[in-house]
Amino acid sequence: MSAVLSQSSEFSIEARRNCSMSPRALLTFFLVTCALSMAIAAAWAAVGVWWVFPFAGLEISALGLAFIAYGRRVGDFERIHLDDERLLVEVCEKTRVSRYEFAPAWAKVETRKVGFGSEVVVRCRDRQVTVGRYLDEKGRAKLARDLAGKLRERRF
Amino acid sequence: MAAIPGGADHAHDHDHHQPSGIMRWVTTTNHKDIGSMYLWFSFAMFLVGGVMALVIRAELFQPGLQVVDPDRFNQMTTLHGLIMVFGAIMPAFVGFANWMIPLMIGASDMAFARMNNWSFWLLPPAAILLTSSLLVPGGAAASGWTLYPPLTVQMGIGMDMAIFAVHILGISSIMGSINIVTTLLNMRAPGMTLMKMPLFCWTWLITAYLVIAVMPVLAGAVTMILTDRHFGTSFFNAAGGGDPVLYQHIFWFFGHPEVYIIAIPAFGVVSQVIPAFSRKPLFGYASMVYATSSIAILSFIVWAHHMYTVGMPVAGQLYFMFATMLIAIPTGVKVFNWVATMWRGSLSFETPMLFSIGFLFLFTLGGFSGLVLSMTAVDIQLHDSYYVVAHFHYVMVAGALFSAYAGAYYWLPKWTGHMYDEKLGKLHFWLSIVFFNMTFFVQHFLGLAGMPRRIPDYSLQFAEFNMISSIGAFGFGLSQLVFLIVVLKCIKGGEKASAKPWDGAEGLEWTVPSPAPHHTFETPPVFK
Ligand code: HEM
Ligand SMILES: [Cu+2]
């Protein structure tokens, strides 16, 4: 019975940042833009107007840096995993992963109003972490409900 | 909200430790705040540039020299052009982009919020440089907004200030464009494919691309003027073996795409407004995207239609003539689509729609005079005459500015949470359209009769039309104050606007309350 219970009380969810363009397509876009800009600069340099080059170079580097800076967020995710031993929350922002472990018996889920919407916070005494940032309002409400339910089951 | 110890969440904390008063605006990274600042800046520069235009028109009220000396007159035409193009029209549409693009695609903000703050705050220093150059010895640049050498190689420090200002404005445009491209590509709501974006977003994607393609060319051109002036080079200085005509090629390689950098977002605004007040979806969405892209591509290969008179092989003249005429095809597709959208629609004529229809008529007229000018044989007569002045004011004022007004009235309820005063709005429209035509229609005749542009005095035969034009200009200038009153009234109060005050409007921007709250779409909405 207890084995069945522990199985059914496992809970896992992963949510990723919404990115409407794949890194690959973004790279293609960048290379095409780069080619166009460099072609224009080269054509002008060919008639003696080499001053376009440095500016085109600066600008294309800025565009590249911008895409890289944005690209670092493409992998952002949130993972919540609950089993018998622990409640594990992993948050990846700009390639940096933060891990939070809570004892399921002590962890609580709270929903708070923030401005125009809400946020879901998992807390255990003074440690807390916000989750559900990539979900919409409905998804967040469901997450809070489901996770709270599973945690309640673990509280004997 | 207290900062979460060890938490990874800093998405929300900015709205709680936000500085107040002026610092709020200096440090803001919110796209709505920045959008509003762009729009206010643009309107302020519109008034400054407008006053300069009125100085010009006052001088031209009658033949002879009355108001300013010729040198000041030339400074006025130069600054008027630079300020209207870079200070008024471009920032107006960047303001619309900042406010509306995140709302339209369901994003919480622009991709790089802090860079956005920088792109805006580069503008005021540039504006100060341009205007204060009137006070330095030798006065402001007096070469015309196109900054042609050899004049520009000779002028005083005012010229250096103009070059510096153009550089700063260029940097600002580039940062803005990088931000817009990144936002549009990456931050669309799930389900919103590129071909489902509102057309305004498409036009900005294309515009930002044009900016990225041509701004380095402008930067290169003005830098070469600078090195010719101070560092002993002779790119353009004929005395040192340079080639002044080369500058014209470089400038117009930037300059013609630039006129589309101004016109294309205007197309975008009108493409949002006309369907809303026709209560029908935009006719030919896909063809609109392709037509806009074709216009953008063609704009790179027509630049020398500004230079038919500098001496060009006949083959070159023919090429640029036919290439320019080609632009009429995608432009015709667009005009057709706008008209077809209205066809059998259930039309209503609130102020945004009036300005859009005004745009449609008068922009098309400007397109036609453009076709006239595209013919080499004709242009050789009309070049540098008032006909050209009439042409580009039909496309810039009745085209771009009217479209900006259409957008402003359309989105004012979303921005302020109040309905604007419809009576005053309509008054603004009718005064504008009457005085606009009074000012600029007659300039076609002046040009055809041979009156050159950029002169402070003229022959007696042009007196009547110039007088009409000047009266129209003062009327037009004063009418714009009506708009200021409408906006101030609308901010202060008025009928409460619902989330979607226009029953025919569509798009995610109308799913958030009016006024749009400081933070919207913190998580992407579902787009159907
Ligand atoms: C059907 C489209 C268009 C055609 C065929 C066209 C054609 C031309 C031609 C041939 C000239 C050169 C006239 C001369 O200097 O003798 C010219 C000037 C000009 N056009 Fe257009 N044009 C078109 C649309 C536009 C648009 C959309 C804008 C801006 C929003 C614009 C802005 C200007 C400006 C500012 C000038 C004068 C530049 C100067 O000399 O200072 N045009 N156009
Ligand atoms: Cu052109």
Side-chain angles (χ1 to χ4, degrees):
Chain A
M1 183 69 202
S2 111
V4 175
L5 182 81
S6 93
Q7 227 171 33
S8 74
S9 66
E10 272 204 10
F11 178 91
S12 248
I13 177 172
E14 187 184 296
R16 297 191 158 270
R17 175 184 286 281
N18 165 50
C19 278
S20 43
M21 187 163 252
S22 70
R24 214 196 166 79
L26 204 59
L27 182 68
T28 312
F29 181 94
F30 174 73
L31 290 178
V32 171
T33 313
C34 184
L36 176 74
S37 202
M38 289 303 140
I40 291 173
W44 281 114
V47 293
V49 184
W50 51 268
W51 260 110
V52 177
F53 246 121
F55 290 109
L58 275 176
E59 177 199 66
I60 288 298
S61 332
L63 183 71
L65 284 178
F67 281 1
I68 291 171
Y70 192 86
R72 279 167 29 112
R73 304 183 208 166
V74 169
D76 287 7
F77 66 81
E78 256 179 36
R79 209 175 281 150
I80 304 173
H81 181 80
L82 170 70
D83 57 28
D84 283 345
E85 267 83 67
R86 61 202 176 146
L87 170 61
L88 180 64
V89 178
E90 282 171 299
V91 177
C92 172
E93 274 189 318
K94 295 191 188 164
T95 71
R96 205 189 69 226
V97 186
S98 332
R99 295 161 56 98
Y100 302 83
E101 270 195 53
F102 303 96
W106 302 105
K108 272 195 221 138
V109 182
E110 285 169 9
T111 306
R112 297 175 182 166
K113 279 206 92 54
V114 179
F116 181 47
S118 68
E119 67 176 14
V120 178
V121 176
V122 177
R123 47 185 277 133
C124 182
R125 298 206 196 92
D126 60 338
R127 290 190 313 129
Q128 54 178 336
V129 52
T130 306
V131 295
R133 44 169 98 47
Y134 305 128
L135 302 175
D136 59 11
E137 283 302 321
K138 267 200 217 128
R140 258 199 299 268
K142 180 167 158 40
L143 167 69
R145 221 173 29 244
D146 291 359
L147 186 55
K150 293 294 176 201
L151 284 173
R152 220 172 297 121
E153 285 172 21
R154 327 233 83 260
R155 226 168 269 141
F156 313 108
Chain B
M1 183 178 87
I4 297 172
D9 183 40
H10 34 72
H12 297 298
D13 49 11
H14 47 250
D15 54 339
H16 296 271
H17 324 290
Q18 205 174 46
S20 52
I22 177 92
M23 282 318 278
R24 145 148 195 240
W25 297 99
V26 175
T27 58
T28 183
T29 56
N30 182 285
H31 71 103
K32 299 177 184 101
D33 287 352
I34 293 174
S36 301
M37 292 198 296
Y38 263 107
L39 290 166
W40 277 114
F41 173 83
S42 143
F43 192 71
M45 292 317 282
F46 174 61
L47 294 183
V48 173
V51 167
M52 292 169 173
L54 293 184
V55 172
I56 297 170
R57 279 320 317 172
E59 178 56 57
L60 294 174
F61 183 67
Q62 34 176 325
L65 294 176
Q66 296 92 16
V67 182
V68 281
D69 63 80
D71 197 38
R72 274 284 183 228
F73 183 89
N74 288 339
Q75 296 171 25
M76 285 295 140
T77 54
T78 306
L79 286 192
H80 164 74
L82 284 173
I83 286 177
M84 285 304 195
V85 169
F86 294 106
I89 301 284
M90 283 176 74
F93 286 106
V94 182
F96 285 118
N98 269 303
W99 244 106
M100 301 320 295
I101 285 178
L103 286 178
M104 284 179 156
I105 64 172
S108 60
D109 205 316
M110 299 293 281
F112 305 106
R114 220 160 300 158
M115 181 164 87
N116 209 9
N117 173 288
W118 273 98
S119 345
F120 173 77
W121 281 107
L122 282 174
L123 295 179
I128 292 168
L129 267 175
L130 278 179
T131 43
S132 64
S133 70
L134 281 168
L135 309 173
V136 299
S143 54
W145 80 281
T146 52
L147 306 179
Y148 280 1
L151 270 181
T152 39
V153 180
Q154 297 157 1
M155 283 171 183
I157 183 159
M159 189 63 224
D160 299 311
M161 294 168 80
I163 291 175
F164 193 36
V166 167
H167 267 133
I168 297 176
L169 293 164
I171 295 172
S172 161
S173 299
I174 286 181
M175 294 193 342
S177 296
I178 289 178
N179 219 336
I180 289 170
V181 167
T182 314
T183 308
L184 282 173
L185 291 181
N186 296 300
M187 295 168 67
R188 279 166 287 127
M192 187 182 279
T193 58
L194 282 175
M195 287 308 272
K196 284 187 185 159
M197 284 197 299
L199 207 84
F200 178 71
C201 298
W202 256 112
T203 55
W204 250 114
L205 184 59
I206 294 167
T207 302
Y209 208 83
L210 281 181
V211 170
I212 291 172
V214 298
M215 277 300 166
V217 180
L218 174 68
V222 295
T223 306
M224 289 158 82
I225 292 184
L226 197 70
T227 62
D228 269 14
R229 286 168 60 78
H230 298 296
F231 303 104
T233 60
S234 306
F235 289 110
F236 306 131
N237 193 350
D243 179 2
V245 173
L246 178 64
Y247 174 85
Q248 299 193 15
H249 281 291
I250 310 172
F251 181 84
W252 285 110
F253 186 84
F254 150 81
H256 191 80
E258 168 68 23
V259 304
Y260 282 101
I261 287 169
I262 287 172
I264 288 177
F267 299 159
V269 170
V270 167
S271 304
Q272 300 298 127
V273 172
I274 289 184
F277 295 90
S278 307
R279 292 156 184 85
K280 269 175 70 190
L282 184 70
F283 183 89
Y285 173 93
S287 67
M288 222 54 163
V289 173
Y290 300 135
T292 313
S293 313
S294 325
I295 291 178
I297 294 166
L298 285 173
S299 75
F300 285 108
I301 56 167
V302 297
W303 75 89
H305 64 212
H306 296 273
M307 310 166 51
Y308 287 136
T309 55
V310 298
M312 210 192 294
V314 174
Q317 296 187 337
L318 284 174
Y319 162 74
F320 282 109
M321 171 165 116
F322 288 123
T324 304
M325 287 179 171
L326 275 183
I327 300 184
I329 297 171
T331 311
V333 169
K334 302 188 71 116
V335 172
F336 178 85
N337 284 345
W338 287 319
V339 175
T341 305
M342 291 195 274
W343 178 254
R344 298 202 158 167
S346 143
L347 304 180
S348 62
F349 300 95
E350 286 88 347
T351 313
M353 185 63 162
L354 288 178
F355 271 108
S356 296
I357 295 175
F359 163 94
L360 201 51
F361 270 99
L362 299 179
F363 180 80
T364 305
L365 223 105
F368 280 138
S369 58
L371 274 176
V372 171
L373 290 169
S374 72
M375 279 173 275
T376 315
V378 178
D379 185 69
I380 287 172
Q381 305 296 311
L382 294 178
H383 179 69
D384 265 347
S385 77
Y386 258 81
Y387 193 89
V388 173
V389 179
H391 157 69
F392 67 73
H393 284 94
Y394 269 78
V395 284
M396 303 270 233
V397 177
L401 179 69
F402 275 24
S403 144
Y405 278 142
Y409 282 104
Y410 183 54
W411 286 308
L412 258 178
K414 180 60 56 193
W415 298 338
T416 63
H418 301 123
M419 297 308 284
Y420 60 87
D421 186 330
E422 191 66 62
K423 272 214 195 76
L424 279 183
K426 288 198 166 123
L427 178 72
H428 175 214
F429 169 75
W430 287 111
L431 288 175
S432 294
I433 200 150
V434 169
F435 284 125
F436 169 80
N437 282 297
M438 186 171 166
T439 313
F440 293 108
F441 198 74
V442 292
Q443 294 185 355
H444 290 109
F445 305 128
L446 285 171
L448 288 167
M451 177 169 160
R453 66 192 281 206
R454 294 175 178 161
I455 48 162
D457 184 10
Y458 49 84
S459 135
L460 218 53
Q461 57 168 326
F462 304 125
E464 287 81 5
F465 280 152
N466 268 303
M467 196 173 276
I468 296 173
S469 184
S470 288
I471 296 171
F474 275 86
F476 187 82
L478 289 177
S479 317
Q480 304 320 302
L481 298 178
V482 178
F483 177 68
L484 185 61
I485 296 171
V486 172
V487 173
L488 293 177
K489 269 186 74 176
C490 189
I491 292 172
K492 272 236 188 89
E495 192 195 325
K496 280 251 165 287
S498 63
K500 191 169 101 150
W502 312 116
D503 54 347
E506 260 176 70
L508 291 172
E509 79 257 44
W510 306 109
T511 63
V512 302
S514 304
H518 207 58
H519 294 286
T520 39
F521 300 129
E522 302 267 63
T523 50
V526 184
F527 176 78
K528 282 162 273 205

